[in-house]
Structure formats: C-alpha cells, structure tokens
Coordinates of all heavy atoms in Angstrom, one line a residue:
M1 N 42.8 -46.2 -72.9 CA 42.3 -46.8 -71.7 C 42.4 -48.4 -72.1 O 42.1 -48.9 -73.1 CB 40.9 -46.6 -71.4 CG 40.7 -45.2 -70.8 SD 41.3 -45.2 -69.1 CE 40.0 -44.3 -68.3
E2 N 42.8 -49.1 -71.1 CA 42.8 -50.6 -71.2 C 41.5 -51.1 -70.5 O 41.0 -50.5 -69.6 CB 44.1 -51.1 -70.4 CG 45.3 -50.6 -70.8 CD 45.8 -51.1 -72.1 OE1 45.8 -52.2 -72.4 OE2 46.3 -50.2 -72.9
K3 N 41.1 -52.3 -70.9 CA 39.9 -52.9 -70.3 C 40.4 -54.1 -69.5 O 41.1 -55.0 -70.0 CB 39.0 -53.4 -71.4 CG 38.4 -52.3 -72.2 CD 37.5 -52.9 -73.3 CE 37.1 -51.8 -74.3 NZ 36.0 -51.0 -73.8
A4 N 40.1 -54.2 -68.2 CA 40.5 -55.2 -67.3 C 39.3 -56.1 -66.9 O 38.2 -55.6 -66.7 CB 41.1 -54.6 -66.0
T5 N 39.5 -57.4 -66.9 CA 38.5 -58.3 -66.3 C 39.2 -59.2 -65.4 O 40.2 -59.8 -65.7 CB 38.0 -59.3 -67.5 OG1 37.4 -58.4 -68.5 CG2 36.8 -60.2 -66.9
L6 N 38.6 -59.2 -64.1 CA 39.3 -60.1 -63.1 C 38.2 -61.0 -62.6 O 37.1 -60.7 -62.2 CB 39.7 -59.1 -61.9 CG 40.8 -58.1 -62.3 CD1 40.2 -56.9 -62.5 CD2 41.8 -58.1 -61.2
Q7 N 38.6 -62.3 -62.5 CA 37.8 -63.4 -62.2 C 38.0 -63.7 -60.6 O 39.2 -63.9 -60.2 CB 38.1 -64.7 -63.0 CG 37.2 -65.9 -62.5 CD 35.7 -65.7 -62.8 OE1 35.4 -65.5 -63.9 NE2 34.9 -65.9 -61.8
L8 N 37.0 -63.5 -59.8 CA 37.2 -63.7 -58.4 C 36.6 -65.1 -57.9 O 36.0 -65.8 -58.8 CB 36.3 -62.6 -57.7 CG 36.6 -61.2 -58.1 CD1 35.7 -60.3 -57.3 CD2 38.0 -60.9 -58.0
E9 N 36.9 -65.4 -56.7 CA 36.2 -66.6 -56.1 C 34.7 -66.2 -56.1 O 34.4 -65.0 -56.1 CB 36.7 -66.9 -54.7 CG 38.1 -67.5 -54.7 CD 38.5 -68.0 -53.4 OE1 37.9 -67.6 -52.4 OE2 39.5 -68.7 -53.3
T10 N 33.8 -67.3 -55.9 CA 32.4 -67.0 -55.9 C 32.0 -66.0 -54.8 O 32.3 -66.1 -53.6 CB 31.7 -68.4 -55.7 OG1 32.1 -69.3 -56.6 CG2 30.2 -68.2 -55.7
L11 N 31.3 -65.1 -55.3 CA 30.8 -64.0 -54.4 C 29.5 -64.6 -53.7 O 28.7 -65.1 -54.3 CB 30.4 -62.7 -55.1 CG 31.6 -62.0 -55.8 CD1 31.2 -60.8 -56.6 CD2 32.7 -61.7 -54.8
S12 N 29.5 -64.2 -52.4 CA 28.5 -64.9 -51.6 C 27.3 -63.9 -51.0 O 26.3 -64.3 -50.6 CB 28.9 -65.7 -50.4 OG 29.8 -64.9 -49.6
C13 N 27.6 -62.6 -51.2 CA 26.6 -61.7 -50.7 C 26.7 -60.3 -51.5 O 27.9 -59.9 -51.9 CB 26.8 -61.4 -49.2 SG 28.4 -60.7 -48.7
P14 N 25.6 -59.6 -51.5 CA 25.6 -58.4 -52.2 C 26.5 -57.3 -51.6 O 27.1 -56.5 -52.3 CB 24.2 -57.9 -52.1 CG 23.4 -59.1 -52.0 CD 24.3 -60.0 -51.2
S15 N 26.8 -57.4 -50.3 CA 27.6 -56.4 -49.6 C 29.2 -56.6 -50.1 O 29.9 -55.6 -50.1 CB 27.6 -56.4 -48.1 OG 28.1 -57.7 -47.7
C16 N 29.4 -57.8 -50.6 CA 30.8 -58.1 -51.2 C 31.0 -57.2 -52.2 O 32.1 -56.7 -52.5 CB 30.9 -59.5 -51.7 SG 30.7 -60.8 -50.4
M17 N 29.9 -57.0 -53.1 CA 30.0 -56.2 -54.3 C 30.5 -54.8 -54.0 O 31.3 -54.1 -54.7 CB 28.8 -56.3 -55.2 CG 28.4 -57.7 -55.7 SD 26.7 -57.7 -56.3 CE 26.8 -56.5 -57.6
Q18 N 29.8 -54.2 -52.9 CA 30.1 -52.8 -52.5 C 31.5 -52.7 -52.0 O 32.2 -51.7 -52.4 CB 29.0 -52.4 -51.5 CG 27.7 -52.4 -52.0 CD 26.6 -52.2 -50.9 OE1 26.8 -52.6 -49.7 NE2 25.5 -51.6 -51.2
K19 N 32.0 -53.6 -51.3 CA 33.4 -53.6 -50.8 C 34.4 -53.6 -52.0 O 35.3 -52.9 -51.9 CB 33.7 -54.8 -49.9 CG 32.9 -54.7 -48.5 CD 33.4 -55.9 -47.7 CE 32.4 -56.0 -46.5 NZ 32.6 -57.3 -45.8
I20 N 34.1 -54.6 -52.9 CA 35.0 -54.7 -54.1 C 35.0 -53.4 -54.9 O 36.0 -52.8 -55.4 CB 34.6 -55.9 -54.9 CG1 35.0 -57.1 -54.1 CG2 35.4 -55.9 -56.2 CD1 34.3 -58.4 -54.5
E21 N 33.8 -52.9 -55.1 CA 33.6 -51.7 -55.9 C 34.4 -50.5 -55.3 O 35.2 -49.8 -56.0 CB 32.2 -51.3 -56.2 CG 32.0 -50.2 -57.1 CD 30.6 -49.9 -57.5 OE1 29.8 -50.7 -57.4 OE2 30.3 -48.7 -57.7
A22 N 34.3 -50.3 -54.0 CA 34.9 -49.3 -53.3 C 36.5 -49.5 -53.3 O 37.2 -48.4 -53.6 CB 34.6 -49.3 -51.9
A23 N 37.0 -50.7 -53.3 CA 38.4 -51.0 -53.4 C 38.9 -50.7 -54.7 O 40.0 -49.9 -54.9 CB 38.7 -52.5 -53.1
V24 N 38.2 -51.0 -55.8 CA 38.7 -50.7 -57.1 C 38.6 -49.2 -57.4 O 39.5 -48.6 -58.1 CB 37.8 -51.5 -58.2 CG1 38.2 -51.1 -59.6 CG2 37.9 -53.0 -58.0
K25 N 37.5 -48.5 -56.9 CA 37.5 -47.1 -57.0 C 38.7 -46.3 -56.4 O 39.0 -45.2 -56.8 CB 36.2 -46.5 -56.5 CG 35.0 -46.8 -57.3 CD 33.7 -46.1 -56.7 CE 32.6 -46.3 -57.7 NZ 31.3 -45.8 -57.1
S26 N 39.2 -46.8 -55.3 CA 40.3 -46.3 -54.6 C 41.7 -46.3 -55.3 O 42.5 -45.6 -55.0 CB 40.5 -47.0 -53.2 OG 41.1 -48.2 -53.4
V27 N 41.7 -47.0 -56.5 CA 43.0 -47.1 -57.2 C 43.0 -46.0 -58.2 O 42.1 -45.8 -59.0 CB 43.0 -48.5 -58.0 CG1 44.2 -48.6 -58.8 CG2 42.8 -49.7 -57.1
N28 N 44.1 -45.2 -58.1 CA 44.3 -44.1 -58.9 C 44.5 -44.5 -60.3 O 45.2 -45.4 -60.6 CB 45.5 -43.2 -58.5 CG 45.6 -41.8 -59.0 OD1 44.5 -41.3 -59.5 ND2 46.7 -41.2 -59.0
G29 N 43.7 -43.9 -61.4 CA 43.9 -44.3 -62.7 C 42.7 -45.1 -63.3 O 42.7 -45.5 -64.4
V30 N 41.9 -45.6 -62.4 CA 40.8 -46.4 -62.8 C 39.6 -45.5 -63.2 O 39.3 -44.5 -62.5 CB 40.3 -47.3 -61.6 CG1 38.8 -48.0 -61.9 CG2 41.3 -48.4 -61.3
D31 N 39.0 -45.9 -64.2 CA 37.8 -45.1 -64.7 C 36.6 -45.5 -63.8 O 36.0 -46.5 -64.1 CB 37.5 -45.3 -66.2 CG 36.2 -44.7 -66.6 OD1 35.6 -43.8 -66.0 OD2 35.9 -45.0 -67.8
K32 N 36.3 -44.7 -62.8 CA 35.4 -45.0 -61.8 C 34.0 -45.3 -62.4 O 33.2 -46.1 -61.9 CB 35.2 -43.9 -60.8 CG 36.6 -43.9 -60.0 CD 36.7 -42.7 -59.0 CE 38.1 -42.6 -58.4 NZ 39.2 -43.1 -59.0
D33 N 33.6 -44.7 -63.5 CA 32.3 -44.9 -64.1 C 32.2 -46.2 -64.8 O 31.1 -46.6 -65.2 CB 31.8 -43.7 -65.1 CG 31.7 -42.4 -64.4 OD1 31.3 -42.4 -63.2 OD2 32.1 -41.4 -65.0
S34 N 33.3 -46.8 -65.1 CA 33.3 -48.1 -65.9 C 33.3 -49.4 -65.0 O 33.2 -50.4 -65.5 CB 34.6 -48.1 -66.8 OG 35.7 -48.4 -66.0
I35 N 33.4 -49.2 -63.7 CA 33.5 -50.3 -62.8 C 32.2 -51.1 -62.8 O 31.1 -50.6 -62.4 CB 33.8 -49.9 -61.4 CG1 35.2 -49.2 -61.3 CG2 33.9 -51.2 -60.5 CD1 35.5 -48.5 -60.1
K36 N 32.3 -52.4 -63.0 CA 31.1 -53.3 -63.0 C 31.6 -54.6 -62.2 O 32.5 -55.2 -62.5 CB 30.7 -53.8 -64.3 CG 30.1 -52.7 -65.1 CD 29.4 -53.2 -66.5 CE 28.9 -52.1 -67.3 NZ 29.9 -51.2 -68.0
V37 N 30.8 -54.8 -61.0 CA 31.0 -56.0 -60.3 C 29.9 -56.9 -60.6 O 28.7 -56.6 -60.3 CB 31.1 -55.7 -58.7 CG1 31.4 -56.9 -58.0 CG2 32.2 -54.7 -58.4
L38 N 30.1 -58.1 -61.2 CA 29.2 -58.9 -61.7 C 29.0 -60.1 -60.7 O 29.8 -60.9 -60.5 CB 29.5 -59.4 -63.0 CG 29.9 -58.4 -64.1 CD1 30.4 -59.0 -65.4 CD2 28.5 -57.7 -64.4
F39 N 27.9 -60.1 -59.9 CA 27.6 -61.0 -58.9 C 27.6 -62.4 -59.4 O 28.2 -63.3 -58.8 CB 26.3 -60.6 -58.0 CG 26.1 -61.4 -56.8 CD1 26.9 -61.3 -55.7 CD2 25.1 -62.4 -56.8 CE1 26.7 -62.0 -54.5 CE2 24.9 -63.2 -55.7 CZ 25.7 -63.0 -54.5
N40 N 26.7 -62.7 -60.3 CA 26.5 -64.1 -60.8 C 27.7 -64.7 -61.4 O 27.9 -65.9 -61.2 CB 25.3 -64.1 -61.9 CG 23.9 -63.8 -61.1 OD1 23.8 -63.9 -59.9 ND2 23.0 -63.3 -61.9
S41 N 28.5 -63.9 -62.1 CA 29.7 -64.5 -62.7 C 31.0 -64.3 -61.9 O 32.0 -64.8 -62.2 CB 29.9 -64.1 -64.1 OG 30.1 -62.7 -64.1
S42 N 30.8 -63.7 -60.7 CA 32.0 -63.3 -59.8 C 33.2 -62.7 -60.6 O 34.3 -63.0 -60.5 CB 32.5 -64.6 -59.1 OG 31.4 -65.0 -58.3
K43 N 32.8 -61.6 -61.4 CA 33.8 -60.9 -62.1 C 33.7 -59.4 -61.8 O 32.7 -58.9 -61.5 CB 33.6 -61.1 -63.7 CG 34.0 -62.4 -64.2 CD 33.7 -62.5 -65.7 CE 34.1 -64.0 -66.1 NZ 33.8 -64.1 -67.5
V44 N 34.9 -58.8 -62.1 CA 35.0 -57.4 -62.0 C 35.5 -56.9 -63.3 O 36.5 -57.4 -63.9 CB 36.0 -56.9 -60.9 CG1 36.1 -55.3 -60.9 CG2 35.5 -57.4 -59.6
K45 N 34.9 -55.9 -63.9 CA 35.3 -55.3 -65.2 C 35.5 -53.8 -64.9 O 34.6 -53.2 -64.4 CB 34.3 -55.6 -66.3 CG 34.2 -57.1 -66.6 CD 33.2 -57.3 -67.8 CE 33.2 -58.8 -68.2 NZ 32.5 -59.0 -69.5
T46 N 36.5 -53.3 -65.6 CA 36.8 -51.8 -65.4 C 37.8 -51.4 -66.5 O 38.4 -52.3 -67.0 CB 37.2 -51.4 -64.0 OG1 37.2 -50.0 -63.8 CG2 38.6 -52.0 -63.7
N47 N 37.7 -50.1 -66.7 CA 38.7 -49.6 -67.6 C 39.7 -48.8 -66.7 O 39.4 -48.2 -65.7 CB 38.1 -48.6 -68.6 CG 37.1 -49.3 -69.5 OD1 37.1 -50.5 -69.8 ND2 36.1 -48.5 -70.0
F48 N 41.1 -48.8 -67.2 CA 42.0 -48.1 -66.4 C 43.0 -47.4 -67.4 O 43.3 -47.9 -68.5 CB 42.6 -48.9 -65.4 CG 43.5 -50.1 -66.0 CD1 44.9 -49.9 -66.1 CD2 42.9 -51.3 -66.4 CE1 45.6 -50.9 -66.7 CE2 43.7 -52.3 -66.9 CZ 45.1 -52.1 -67.0
D49 N 43.7 -46.5 -66.9 CA 44.8 -45.7 -67.7 C 46.1 -46.5 -67.3 O 46.6 -46.4 -66.2 CB 44.8 -44.3 -67.2 CG 45.9 -43.6 -67.9 OD1 46.8 -44.1 -68.6 OD2 45.8 -42.2 -67.9
A50 N 46.7 -47.2 -68.3 CA 47.9 -48.0 -68.1 C 49.1 -47.1 -67.8 O 50.1 -47.5 -67.3 CB 48.1 -48.8 -69.3
G51 N 48.9 -45.7 -68.1 CA 50.1 -44.8 -67.8 C 50.1 -44.4 -66.3 O 51.0 -43.9 -65.8
V52 N 48.9 -44.7 -65.6 CA 48.8 -44.3 -64.2 C 48.9 -45.6 -63.2 O 49.4 -45.5 -62.2 CB 47.5 -43.6 -64.0 CG1 47.3 -43.3 -62.5 CG2 47.5 -42.4 -64.8
T53 N 48.1 -46.7 -63.7 CA 48.1 -47.9 -62.8 C 48.2 -49.1 -63.7 O 48.4 -49.1 -64.9 CB 46.7 -47.8 -62.0 OG1 47.0 -48.8 -61.0 CG2 45.6 -48.1 -62.9
S54 N 48.0 -50.3 -62.9 CA 48.1 -51.6 -63.7 C 47.0 -52.6 -63.2 O 46.5 -52.3 -62.1 CB 49.6 -52.2 -63.5 OG 49.6 -52.6 -62.1
I55 N 46.8 -53.6 -63.9 CA 45.9 -54.6 -63.4 C 46.4 -55.2 -62.2 O 45.6 -55.6 -61.4 CB 45.6 -55.7 -64.6 CG1 44.4 -56.5 -64.1 CG2 46.8 -56.5 -64.8 CD1 43.8 -57.3 -65.3
D56 N 47.7 -55.2 -61.9 CA 48.2 -55.8 -60.8 C 47.8 -54.9 -59.5 O 47.5 -55.4 -58.4 CB 49.8 -55.9 -60.7 CG 50.2 -57.1 -61.8 OD1 49.4 -57.9 -62.0 OD2 51.2 -56.9 -62.4
A57 N 47.8 -53.6 -59.7 CA 47.4 -52.7 -58.6 C 45.9 -52.9 -58.2 O 45.5 -52.9 -57.1 CB 47.7 -51.3 -59.0
I58 N 45.1 -53.1 -59.4 CA 43.7 -53.3 -59.2 C 43.5 -54.7 -58.4 O 42.7 -54.7 -57.5 CB 42.9 -53.3 -60.5 CG1 43.1 -52.0 -61.1 CG2 41.4 -53.8 -60.4 CD1 42.6 -51.9 -62.6
Q59 N 44.2 -55.7 -58.8 CA 44.1 -57.0 -58.1 C 44.5 -56.8 -56.6 O 43.9 -57.4 -55.8 CB 45.1 -58.0 -58.8 CG 45.1 -59.3 -58.0 CD 46.0 -60.4 -58.7 OE1 46.5 -60.1 -59.8 NE2 46.3 -61.4 -58.0
Q60 N 45.5 -56.1 -56.4 CA 46.0 -56.0 -55.0 C 44.9 -55.3 -54.2 O 44.7 -55.7 -53.0 CB 47.3 -55.2 -55.0 CG 47.9 -55.0 -53.6 CD 49.1 -54.2 -53.5 OE1 49.7 -53.9 -54.6 NE2 49.7 -54.0 -52.4
A61 N 44.2 -54.3 -54.7 CA 43.2 -53.5 -53.9 C 42.1 -54.5 -53.6 O 41.6 -54.4 -52.5 CB 42.8 -52.3 -54.8
I62 N 41.7 -55.4 -54.6 CA 40.6 -56.4 -54.4 C 41.1 -57.4 -53.2 O 40.3 -57.7 -52.3 CB 40.3 -57.0 -55.6 CG1 39.6 -56.0 -56.6 CG2 39.2 -58.2 -55.4 CD1 39.4 -56.6 -58.0
E63 N 42.3 -57.9 -53.3 CA 42.8 -58.9 -52.4 C 42.9 -58.3 -51.0 O 42.7 -58.9 -50.1 CB 44.0 -59.5 -53.0 CG 43.7 -60.4 -54.2 CD 44.8 -61.2 -54.7 OE1 46.0 -60.9 -54.5 OE2 44.5 -62.2 -55.4
E64 N 43.2 -57.0 -50.9 CA 43.4 -56.3 -49.6 C 42.1 -56.3 -48.8 O 42.2 -56.2 -47.5 CB 44.0 -55.0 -49.7 CG 45.5 -55.0 -50.1 CD 46.1 -53.7 -50.2 OE1 45.5 -52.6 -50.3 OE2 47.4 -53.6 -50.5
V65 N 41.0 -56.3 -49.5 CA 39.7 -56.3 -48.8 C 39.1 -57.8 -48.7 O 38.0 -58.0 -48.2 CB 38.7 -55.4 -49.4 CG1 39.0 -53.9 -49.3 CG2 38.4 -55.7 -50.9
G66 N 40.0 -58.7 -49.0 CA 39.7 -60.1 -48.7 C 39.1 -61.0 -49.8 O 38.5 -62.0 -49.5
Y67 N 39.3 -60.6 -51.1 CA 38.6 -61.3 -52.1 C 39.7 -61.8 -53.1 O 40.2 -61.0 -53.9 CB 37.6 -60.5 -52.9 CG 36.5 -60.2 -51.9 CD1 36.5 -58.9 -51.4 CD2 35.4 -61.0 -51.7 CE1 35.6 -58.6 -50.3 CE2 34.5 -60.7 -50.6 CZ 34.5 -59.5 -50.0 OH 33.6 -59.2 -49.1
P68 N 40.1 -63.2 -53.1 CA 41.2 -63.6 -54.0 C 40.8 -63.4 -55.5 O 39.6 -63.7 -55.9 CB 41.4 -65.1 -53.6 CG 40.7 -65.1 -52.3 CD 39.6 -64.2 -52.2
V69 N 41.7 -63.0 -56.3 CA 41.6 -62.9 -57.7 C 42.1 -64.3 -58.2 O 43.3 -64.6 -58.1 CB 42.3 -61.7 -58.3 CG1 42.2 -61.8 -59.9 CG2 41.7 -60.4 -57.7
L70 N 41.3 -65.0 -59.1 CA 41.7 -66.3 -59.7 C 42.4 -66.0 -61.0 O 43.5 -66.8 -61.3 CB 40.5 -67.2 -59.8 CG 39.7 -67.5 -58.6 CD1 38.6 -68.4 -58.8 CD2 40.6 -68.1 -57.5
K71 N 41.9 -65.1 -61.8 CA 42.4 -64.9 -63.2 C 42.3 -63.5 -63.5 O 41.3 -62.8 -63.0 CB 41.7 -65.6 -64.2 CG 41.9 -67.1 -64.1 CD 41.4 -67.9 -65.5 CE 39.9 -67.9 -65.4 NZ 39.3 -68.7 -66.5
K72 N 43.2 -63.0 -64.4 CA 43.0 -61.6 -64.8 C 43.4 -61.4 -66.2 O 44.1 -62.2 -66.7 CB 43.8 -60.5 -63.9 CG 45.2 -60.9 -63.9 CD 46.1 -60.1 -62.8 CE 47.4 -60.6 -62.9 NZ 48.2 -60.0 -61.7
R73 N 42.7 -60.5 -66.9 CA 43.0 -60.3 -68.4 C 42.9 -58.8 -68.7 O 42.0 -58.1 -68.2 CB 41.9 -61.1 -69.1 CG 42.2 -61.1 -70.6 CD 41.1 -62.0 -71.3 NE 39.8 -61.3 -71.3 CZ 38.6 -61.7 -71.2 NH1 38.6 -63.1 -70.9 NH2 37.6 -61.1 -71.1
V74 N 43.8 -58.4 -69.6 CA 43.7 -57.0 -70.1 C 43.6 -57.0 -71.5 O 44.2 -57.7 -72.3 CB 45.0 -56.2 -69.7 CG1 45.0 -54.8 -70.3 CG2 45.2 -56.3 -68.2
K75 N 42.7 -56.1 -72.0 CA 42.6 -55.9 -73.5 C 42.8 -54.4 -73.8 O 42.3 -53.6 -73.0 CB 41.1 -56.3 -74.0 CG 40.8 -57.7 -74.1 CD 39.6 -58.0 -75.0 CE 38.4 -58.3 -74.2 NZ 37.2 -58.6 -75.0
A76 N 43.4 -54.2 -74.9 CA 43.7 -52.7 -75.2 C 42.3 -52.1 -75.5 O 41.5 -52.7 -76.1 CB 44.6 -52.7 -76.4
G77 N 42.2 -50.9 -75.1 CA 40.9 -50.2 -75.3 C 40.7 -49.5 -76.6 O 41.3 -49.5 -77.5

C-alpha cells in the first residue's frame, strides 16, 4: 500500500469533509478505512493500492466534487 497526502484549498465547512471523503471512497483501490480528511490543515490522507489506482485518480475524484488539490505526495507503504 502507498500512502497519499493531498493538500487542498482551505476547507470552509464540515460538510465539505463528508463530500471529499465520499469522493475518495468511490475510487477503486483506496483503503476506505484509512481515509482521513483533516479540516484544520485542509489535507486528505489515505492509503491506496498502486496496482489498482493512482494518486492522480484520487486527485481527480476530489476535484470532480469541487475541491482543487494544491499539492500531492506519495510515500511507499
């Protein structure tokens, strides 16, 4: 499993967190139990199977629900 961290624009409401979490959960290959949307730091952290998906697919899912990704980083698990 790879560890992904995505920096978002400042989150303004708790419902944003739910939309982002749902978007990330919809990506095949993401470890759904590992998803953390951090409101105060406007970050998303999750683990994913690099053989199934990529950080780019996770970024696309987040941006499709209206939240621009500013930076992204992957660390080997």
